[in-house]
Structures are given as C-alpha cells and as structure tokens.
Amino acid sequence: MKPRLIRFFLLLTVIASVSCKPNGATSRKEEQSKKETIAKQPNIVVLLCDDLGYGDLSSFGHPIIKTENLDKLAASGIRLTNFYSTAPVCSPSRVGMLTGRSPNKAGVYDFIPGLKKSEDNRDLVHLQAYEETIPAMLKTVGYSTCLVGKWHCSSRFNSDQQPQPNDFGFDHWMATHNNAAPSHKNPKNFVRNGQEVGEIEGFSSQIVVNEAIQWLDKKDGDNPFFLEVAFHEPHEPIASPEELVEKYMPYAETREQAEYFANVENVDRAVGRLIAYLEKNHSGNTLIVFSSDNGPETLLRYGEKAKHSYGSPGELKGMKLWTNEAGFRVPGIISWVGENKVSGTKDAVVSALDFLPTFAELSGAKLPNRELDGESFKSLLDTGEFARSTPLIWAFYDAINERRVAMRKGDWKIMGRLEVDNNTLPHIHNLYDGNEALVKSAKLTDFVLFNLKEDINESEDLSVREATVFESMKKEFEIRYKELLEDSHIWVRNQ
C-alpha cells in the first residue's frame, strides 16, 4: 500500500476515535444524571379543589374565609398569582392537567354529563385509552399512585365500556363520577377500585383525606408516590359542618353564604390533616401542589341548585365558564416539604398543563412521545424564575362571554370572537362530525388586547393604543388557534 494512502487511513481512524469520545462521555454523563435524579425522586401530591375562586383563600385576599393551613403552605413555599387551569370548566380542566396537553386535543370540550345519547355525540366523550397521563408516566420510574375524590373524565363511569382511573396508571382509586351525592355530607356514590362503597359517614373533603392517609399507611415499600386528592368542594351541592356554619353566620349575608364559607374552611382543615401526616411521615422530600379546576360558579346560574355559590373571583373579570381571567386563573400554591429552595409570591405564568413535564423532570421519567402544551417549571422551584417559551391558549366553545378564544403571552392577553357568515358561532358542547365543518369555518374577529400586569381585571382594551403589540399578538393568535383546531379530536359515532 502506498505511504500516502496509509497516512490517509490512519487519519480517518484518529478522526473517528476522537469524534466518538465526546458522544460516549455525554451519554455516560446523561445516564449518571438520570440515576441521580431517580435517587432523589420526590413524592408528589396534587390537591385540586372544585370551583374554588381566585379570591376564595385568605392568602389570596378573601376578607372573611379562614384558610390557615393553605396560608401556611403558601408561606412556606411559592404563592403563584398567575396560575392557570387548563379550561374554565371541570372535565376538560382535569383532562388537560393529567395529559399536559390542551383538552381539545383529547376531545374533551365541556363538562361530561351523565350518560344520555345525544345528537352531538357527547355521550361518547371520555379520556381515551391512548392518552398518556401523569400517573402512568410516573409508574414507569417506580412510583406508586393513588386518586381520591372526583374523576369526571368519562361519560361511562365504573364501566368496562370506557377506560377507568386504573387504566391511566392509578394503582388505587376511590372516586365519584362527578359531584359527591346527595351532597358533601354522607355521600353515597363513591367507588373504590371498581366496587361501589355505599354511604360513607362524614364530609367529602375529610373522607377523601382519610382514604389517602389509609392508602399511604398500607403502601408497601419505600418507593416514591404520586397522590391526587380531587376535592368535591366547594362545588354544589354544598353541605358543611354546622359548627363552621355557625362560626360564619355573623359575617355572612345569608345562611347559604355562611355554608359556602364553611365549606372552604372545611377543605382547609382536611388539607391541614394531610399536611400534618406528610410532615410526620414523609418530611424528607414531598412536593405539594394546590390549585382549583376552574373559577367560581355564578350564584343561582342554574336556579336554586346553585344557591350556595358565593365563590369570589377576587379582582378578576368573569366567573366559571368564562374565558376572561376568572374562568381559569385560580389560586396556585407549591410547597416542597424538606426541599424548599425558593419561597414567596411569584408572578410567573404557570399552568396545570405544566405538571406533567415538571414531574417528568423531577422524577427522571421519559416524556410521552407526543407534542405537549405544558413546560417544565423546575427552574421556578430551583431559582424562583420561570419564563414560558410558548403562549397559553384556550378555546372554550360554550363560554358565557362572547370572545370564547383567548391567548396569554407574557403580560399580554388577546381574545377573539368566532364568527360564521357575520353571526357569532352558536354555543357548542362538543366537536363531532356533524359540526366539524361549521366550527372550522368560523373566523376569529372582534379582538381585544389587555396588559394583565397593569390591568388585572381586563378593563381597558389596548388594541388601538398598542398597535404594534396588537398586530404581533393577533398574527400569532390566529396561527396558534388554527393549529389547535387542526389537532382537536372530532367524535364520530360508529354505527
């Protein structure tokens, strides 16, 4: 072989060996980092209220309701003033939280009613088996998982015709389809791991915490756990301990209002019992996240059955079922028991969509192989800083307010009305093959722009004064809504 050719092959060999070394080192470094993350896996507890308003906790400004345990949790951790649920109503909000994706992509657009065949295929709606969820993801890295409280992610609850909580990774579950019935007091509709429980004496918030503590006491091994406590309170039909009602009677306008105030404090007491248990038994490394599925219900919106709905939106505009802030901007509290690095009030824009990617990073779990809408906020826990790379967008077709699509980017929020042939798009509960063309033909129009940092109650439309910002926001809004609509699930009934 010629010397020049020999030198050429020797050079190739050297280049190949040098180029391979960094990749191998990087791979080993990543593997070591993953092992270290798994060794430090936190227990994760999600506490979720039902219809709790932005202004319903004393730490978020309520002048009467006492929530000392949640206030202590906020004081020891992070109080989030810009925390968002994934929808302004229950079922889609829960689906978005569990999957880290807009609930529209899962085909859950509105609350899921009791099973009744309907033209719009709403009776088909459920969290589908192929959706990847927080508990299923965490189980892949050794977590035990439990759900107690409200499920509301299927139209056929406790039926083999649709997936149930255990099909999405919950090892143990005791839940109801929707609300505690006949009320929060002595509910009769709980199901434990597929078996009806019957009447349980006590109040729902205390019952679900009892179940959670019992599950933790019986859990085998010292592996980490994921616990979701989905309180029914303060959603109607409300029932509260009489001694708490009497406590609030001097400060309330009506007995029903006193019952609402008492209802919120009863949740706080239940949270306090659970936190005391966790601090005693799992104080080393437990992340606790508290929030609400959506904003507060409007008093008497559906008649006498909503006569206790005295929830407060605080300074925010709107209520539950609105795409103004009060519909989905809710109290947010994060406390890392045993590991708190950051505390105080933070105005970072955080969403329940972010739970899944954050928990993945904390646990060392692999992210689902699909595009997520949430982002990890681990940097917030480590340094107190978190900046979203993509905006949050909501499209709720049954909103009470006219502009049913909204997007938040930084301090700015843009909203638009959907119009077809110069008329507002009719109210829609579900997207199915019978209305798909109508919804997809609707155009965004009648835009408004708000600076939420300066105008928390959305009182001044800045679309004219801030024309440059408006044009940029409008362009991105239209693109992102189009992408969301293209990815939205359409329900088709198989004949």
Side-chain angles (χ1 to χ4, degrees), residues 145-151 165 170 172-175 227-230:
T145 58
C146 175
L147 165 71
V148 290
K150 180 173 176 174
W151 172 239
F170 286 110
H172 178 91
W173 57 279
M174 188 182 82
L227 170 64
E228 179 186 342
V229 182

Side-chain angles (χ1 to χ4, degrees), residues 7 87 411 483:
R7 285 198 299 272
D411 294 335
E483 292 173 345

Side-chain angles (χ1 to χ4, degrees), residues 62-64 245 247-261 299 307 309-310:
H62 201 285
I64 298 174
V245 176
K247 171 183 174 179
Y248 285 107
M249 282 298 291
Y251 310 100
E253 297 175 5
T254 65
R255 177 177 174 83
E256 288 79 12
Q257 187 178 52
E259 289 180 290
Y260 183 89
F261 293 168
L299 184 65
K307 66 181 180 180
S309 297
Y310 281 90

Side-chain angles (χ1 to χ4, degrees), residues 145-150 171-176 190-198 200-201 203-219 225-232 270 273-274 277:
T145 58
C146 175
L147 165 71
V148 290
K150 180 173 176 174
D171 298 326
H172 178 91
W173 57 279
M174 188 182 82
T176 63
F190 274 99
V191 175
R192 180 187 288 116
N193 299 324
Q195 300 297 315
E196 294 183 5
V197 179
I200 307 175
E201 187 175 342
F203 291 89
S204 179
S205 58
Q206 305 297 339
I207 289 168
V208 297
V209 164
N210 290 344
E211 184 77 9
I213 290 173
Q214 289 169 17
W215 176 74
L216 289 169
D217 279 339
K218 294 175 182 176
K219 187 180 85 66
F225 60 83
F226 171 70
L227 170 64
E228 179 186 342
V229 182
F231 294 110
H232 297 92
R273 284 203 303 119
L274 181 59
Y277 174 89

Side-chain angles (χ1 to χ4, degrees), residues 77-83 342-349 380 383-385:
I78 301 172
R79 174 179 169 269
L80 295 168
T81 57
N82 281 296
F83 184 84
V342 174
S343 62
T345 297
K346 303 295 178 183
D347 62 1
V349 178
L380 179 70
T383 68
E385 301 294 329

Side-chain angles (χ1 to χ4, degrees), residues 262-422:
N263 205 251
V264 176
E265 183 171 343
N266 200 31
V267 173
D268 181 76
R269 286 184 174 184
V271 170
R273 284 203 303 119
L274 181 59
I275 291 173
Y277 174 89
L278 293 171
E279 289 178 340
K280 180 179 178 181
N281 298 279
H282 301 280
S283 60
N285 189 13
T286 298
L287 181 72
I288 303 173
V289 181
F290 172 88
S291 189
S292 178
D293 65 342
N294 48 249
E297 181 59 272
T298 300
L299 184 65
L300 299 175
R301 181 179 67 85
Y302 46 95
E304 282 294 300
K305 290 184 178 180
K307 66 181 180 180
H308 297 93
S309 297
Y310 281 90
S312 170
E315 301 174 84
L316 307 180
K317 181 177 181 178
M319 296 290 274
K320 173 184 177 178
L321 304 175
W322 290 56
T323 55
N324 287 98
E325 288 293 280
F328 37 56
R329 187 163 168 178
V330 288
I333 299 171
I334 304 173
S335 185
W336 200 339
V337 178
E339 291 287 332
N340 268 338
K341 302 174 185 177
V342 174
S343 62
T345 297
K346 303 295 178 183
D347 62 1
V349 178
V350 180
S351 167
L353 292 169
D354 303 329
F355 289 175
L356 187 148
T358 304
F359 299 164
E361 186 171 1
L362 293 174
S363 66
K366 185 179 179 181
L367 285 172
N369 186 27
R370 63 196 319 174
E371 185 178 354
L372 299 178
D373 297 308
E375 304 176 24
S376 173
F377 56 76
K378 185 175 181 294
S379 64
L380 179 70
L381 306 177
D382 293 336
T383 68
E385 301 294 329
F386 171 63
R388 306 199 70 81
S389 61
T390 56
L392 294 172
I393 187 167
W394 299 264
F396 180 52
Y397 300 110
D398 193 34
I400 289 175
N401 58 303
E402 283 193 348
R403 297 178 180 90
R404 300 178 201 157
V405 188
M407 184 182 82
R408 174 155 189 182
K409 182 179 182 180
D411 294 335
W412 297 95
K413 179 180 178 181
I414 188 169
M415 304 174 69
R417 184 168 58 85
L418 288 168
E419 188 176 276
V420 180
D421 296 331
N422 297 319

Side-chain angles (χ1 to χ4, degrees), residues 44-95:
I44 299 172
V45 179
V46 172
L47 307 173
L48 188 69
C49 273
D50 194 352
D51 285 8
L52 185 79
Y54 186 78
D56 273 339
L57 305 183
S58 45
S59 51
F60 279 76
H62 201 285
I64 298 174
I65 300 175
K66 302 300 181 186
T67 51
E68 61 179 31
N69 295 297
L70 286 165
D71 297 347
K72 287 178 184 176
L73 195 70
S76 68
I78 301 172
R79 174 179 169 269
L80 295 168
T81 57
N82 281 296
F83 184 84
Y84 289 90
S85 66
T86 71
V89 71
C90 46
S91 299
S93 177
R94 293 160 198 274
V95 166

